[in-house]
Amino acid sequence: MPTLASVGAGPGMGLAIARTPEKLDDLVALLGEEGVTAAAFPADVLDRPSLTAALDAARARFGSIDVRAARCATG
């Protein structure tokens, strides 16, 4: 099964998922209800080491990242 990493998921992605850990947990649970295996790896996209660590953790969890969806915005 392909692995997708969504980077920079903010208010435009619905649920304002990147804003709080609780909203990330809600999204992971919602995806699970739909049969999607999901996990959250919060990171600050403006902090390269933080982003790299999150992507490395995702790779460790899922084995690979097949698709990266970048939708980064600040402000």
Side-chain angles (χ1 to χ4, degrees), residues 25-72:
D25 292 341
D26 290 347
L27 179 62
V28 168
L30 179 64
L31 291 169
E33 290 171 10
E34 296 296 322
V36 175
T37 302
F41 303 94
D44 179 348
V45 298
L46 298 178
D47 177 359
R48 187 177 187 102
S50 171
L51 181 57
T52 299
L55 291 171
D56 288 346
R59 275 189 213 91
R61 166 70 169 81
F62 293 103
S64 68
I65 297 174
D66 302 302
V67 178
R68 287 184 200 102
R71 185 171 160 76
C72 304

Side-chain angles (χ1 to χ4, degrees), residues 15-29 39-43:
L15 299 176
I17 60 177
R19 301 297 180 209
T20 68
E22 294 81 16
K23 289 189 184 228
L24 281 171
D25 292 341
D26 290 347
L27 179 62
V28 168
F41 303 94

